[in-house]
Amino acid sequence: MQDATSSATDALRAGNRVVAGGIAVIVLILAAAAVFLFLNLPDADAFNARVERLFVEVDALRSGPEIRLLEILAQSGTTFSEVLASYRMVIFVLLVFSTSLLVAALVLLVTIVALNRRMSAIQRSGIQVASLMISRESRSVYINDMEFSLTEAAIETLSVLAEARMDDDVLTGAQIEAVISGKNVADCDEAAGATRVKRLRDALGNQLVSELLVKTIARRGYMLAVGKDTIRMV
């Protein structure tokens, strides 16, 4: 048991390291991309600076029409610088948004992998039921403090399987039908009992719980995959 706990702890730590490393790599890549983009964007004041140099260096551009042209160019340069500044902000927001999406995708991926491993472990070892309480009066079953409301037929089927489990019996579909209906086993159909078991599983709703709680034993029948000391009937 200690080895299993140690293995689970090591796996959890390894998963945390993978998530932390992945997030760090994503942030570094996007940070490098942001620096590259911002360094290669043109200077917002480059256009205005060029217009100013033309005004200073070219003496012919001192008459009225030429000065007016330079003013128009200067206004265009100011507009260009404002647009470029807004582009910088848009790029920054997009990079932040991309970082958030990639980090969320990584965390979700690791979570899905961990859940799949956990499901596989449960399917290999079977469902661990600490307590199974069946209440005929309220037509409810409590599995590890999880409440499931059942139909009258489903609660009868579960009760029959629980009583059989306490006697270490495996019941066929015909035997289940015989106990519930009060008929002789020879007069009952195997399919009728199988249908009752299917309806019980459907009533439990959770496929993982239902399939692992009510086990099918090949060529023998059905039984509850729980310990006898965990079953209580009220």
Side-chain angles (χ1 to χ4, degrees), residues 140-154:
S140 300
V141 59
Y142 299 86
I143 304 174
N144 292 346
D145 298 327
M146 294 185 298
E147 181 179 0
F148 297 87
S149 297
L150 304 179
T151 62
E152 184 68 31

Side-chain angles (χ1 to χ4, degrees), residues 114-189:
L115 287 176
N116 286 338
R117 289 179 179 175
R118 184 176 180 83
M119 289 295 184
S120 298
I122 291 175
Q123 289 176 338
R124 287 194 300 269
S125 62
I127 186 170
Q128 300 297 320
V129 178
S131 65
L132 174 65
M133 186 174 71
I134 303 171
S135 175
R136 289 177 179 269
E137 183 178 354
S138 62
R139 291 188 300 183
S140 300
V141 59
Y142 299 86
I143 304 174
N144 292 346
D145 298 327
M146 294 185 298
E147 181 179 0
F148 297 87
S149 297
L150 304 179
T151 62
E152 184 68 31
I155 201 72
E156 287 294 334
T157 304
L158 183 59
S159 299
V160 170
L161 290 171
E163 291 172 356
R165 179 67 185 92
M166 288 188 284
D167 294 333
D168 290 326
D169 291 335
V170 179
L171 298 181
T172 63
Q175 290 172 328
I176 294 173
E177 179 66 21
V179 173
I180 295 175
S181 65
K183 300 178 182 178
N184 292 326
V185 176
D187 298 330
C188 295
D189 188 5

Side-chain angles (χ1 to χ4, degrees), residues 30-196:
L30 289 177
V35 171
F36 177 79
L37 284 173
F38 284 114
L39 288 179
N40 286 275
L41 283 174
D43 186 6
D45 294 326
F47 194 89
N48 285 338
R50 185 59 178 171
V51 172
E52 183 179 352
R53 285 185 57 190
L54 286 173
F55 183 78
V56 172
E57 295 176 358
V58 181
D59 294 333
L61 298 177
R62 297 298 174 90
S63 61
E66 286 79 7
I67 292 177
R68 181 58 182 164
L69 176 60
L70 290 176
E71 289 176 353
I72 294 173
L73 291 175
Q75 291 175 358
S76 301
T78 302
T79 303
F80 172 76
S81 63
E82 293 174 354
V83 171
L84 190 59
S86 66
Y87 282 173
R88 290 176 183 270
M89 182 57 64
V90 170
I91 292 172
F92 176 76
V93 172
L94 288 176
L95 286 172
V96 172
F97 186 66
S98 301
T99 303
S100 303
L101 285 180
L102 288 174
V103 169
L106 176 64
V107 173
L108 183 61
L109 178 62
V110 173
T111 302
I112 291 174
V113 171
L115 287 176
N116 286 338
R117 289 179 179 175
R118 184 176 180 83
M119 289 295 184
S120 298
I122 291 175
Q123 289 176 338
R124 287 194 300 269
S125 62
I127 186 170
Q128 300 297 320
V129 178
S131 65
L132 174 65
M133 186 174 71
I134 303 171
S135 175
R136 289 177 179 269
E137 183 178 354
S138 62
R139 291 188 300 183
S140 300
V141 59
Y142 299 86
I143 304 174
N144 292 346
D145 298 327
M146 294 185 298
E147 181 179 0
F148 297 87
S149 297
L150 304 179
T151 62
E152 184 68 31
I155 201 72
E156 287 294 334
T157 304
L158 183 59
S159 299
V160 170
L161 290 171
E163 291 172 356
R165 179 67 185 92
M166 288 188 284
D167 294 333
D168 290 326
D169 291 335
V170 179
L171 298 181
T172 63
Q175 290 172 328
I176 294 173
E177 179 66 21
V179 173
I180 295 175
S181 65
K183 300 178 182 178
N184 292 326
V185 176
D187 298 330
C188 295
D189 188 5
E190 178 71 23
T195 301
R196 289 183 180 273

Side-chain angles (χ1 to χ4, degrees), residues 118-129 143 201 204 206-216 223-226:
R118 184 176 180 83
M119 289 295 184
S120 298
I122 291 175
Q123 289 176 338
R124 287 194 300 269
S125 62
I127 186 170
Q128 300 297 320
V129 178
I143 304 174
R201 286 170 170 166
L204 288 172
N206 188 308
Q207 184 177 1
L208 179 63
V209 172
S210 61
E211 290 293 335
L212 295 179
L213 178 64
V214 185
K215 297 194 70 173
T216 301
M223 67 172 295
L224 295 183
V226 299

